[in-house]
Amino acid sequence: MRIFFLCFIALCASLHAANLLTYNVYERSDRVDIMLSFDAPHEGGISQKSDATSITLNINDLGYDKMIEKSINSPIIQELTIVPEKNNTLKVILKSDKKVSVVASKTVDGFGLRIRSSIMQASSPSPSVEASSASSSSSLMTSSSSSSM
């Protein structure tokens, strides 16, 4: 009886997670926008890690059933990979040979997420500008956006 109850709780928890329906890539001269659309409002968290050649976004409480690899013909982002992980986590990997900044913005209704990538601007030797630049490369900003994407 306990096992049945635990399985039921796990099933209910997974039903509340949103699922990825579609993704679209919009290439511009100064940025690359990746739009993710969901079947339900996404209420999970997003974290970011970066290394020399890629930026990885971990999106919690978001399910998908297959891996996607897409080459992008842009000087900003060269490859997009979407990898489903355990526990309804989706990993979005952006590969670039340049230093890029990434900003994720949820749509107002929560049914979409825009991931905007742009080349980081060169900073002057001013210490305050360097601190600002360093913090923006390691943090991920999420916000609701009312403008159309």
Side-chain angles (χ1 to χ4, degrees):
M1 184 67 171
R2 288 182 189 167
I3 294 174
F4 176 73
F5 181 71
L6 291 175
C7 289
F8 179 74
I9 296 295
L11 178 64
C12 289
S14 68
L15 291 177
H16 291 302
N19 292 301
L20 178 65
L21 292 178
T22 62
Y23 74 96
N24 291 300
V25 178
Y26 301 99
E27 299 172 40
R28 306 284 189 259
S29 60
D30 61 336
R31 67 183 185 269
V32 174
D33 288 342
I34 299 164
M35 284 297 302
L36 305 179
S37 300
F38 315 130
D39 65 349
H42 178 255
E43 297 176 3
I46 303 170
S47 63
Q48 173 182 333
K49 283 196 248 180
S50 50
D51 60 32
T53 60
S54 67
I55 296 173
T56 302
L57 303 176
N58 288 309
I59 307 173
N60 298 327
D61 297 329
L62 183 60
Y64 197 60
D65 58 352
K66 60 184 174 182
M67 182 174 150
I68 296 169
E69 289 183 285
K70 179 172 177 62
S71 293
I72 300 174
N73 187 22
S74 166
I76 301 167
I77 300 292
Q78 289 78 48
E79 187 176 325
L80 163 68
T81 306
I82 299 175
V83 182
E85 299 279 312
K86 294 179 181 177
N87 301 325
N88 283 323
T89 298
L90 199 67
K91 188 179 285 192
V92 177
I93 304 166
L94 307 171
K95 292 191 179 175
S96 178
D97 55 5
K98 298 194 174 11
K99 284 189 100 173
V100 296
S101 84
V102 174
V103 178
S105 303
K106 287 183 182 179
T107 59
V108 174
D109 60 7
F111 281 87
L113 180 71
R114 179 188 66 199
I115 302 169
R116 176 165 284 176
S117 305
S118 57
I119 295 175
M120 291 182 76
Q121 300 298 321
S123 61
S124 64
S126 166
S128 62
V129 173
E130 288 176 6
S132 172
S133 172
S135 66
S136 67
S137 66
S138 63
S139 66
L140 177 69
M141 297 175 279
T142 60
S143 63
S144 294
S145 173
S146 61
S147 63
S148 61
M149 294 170 235

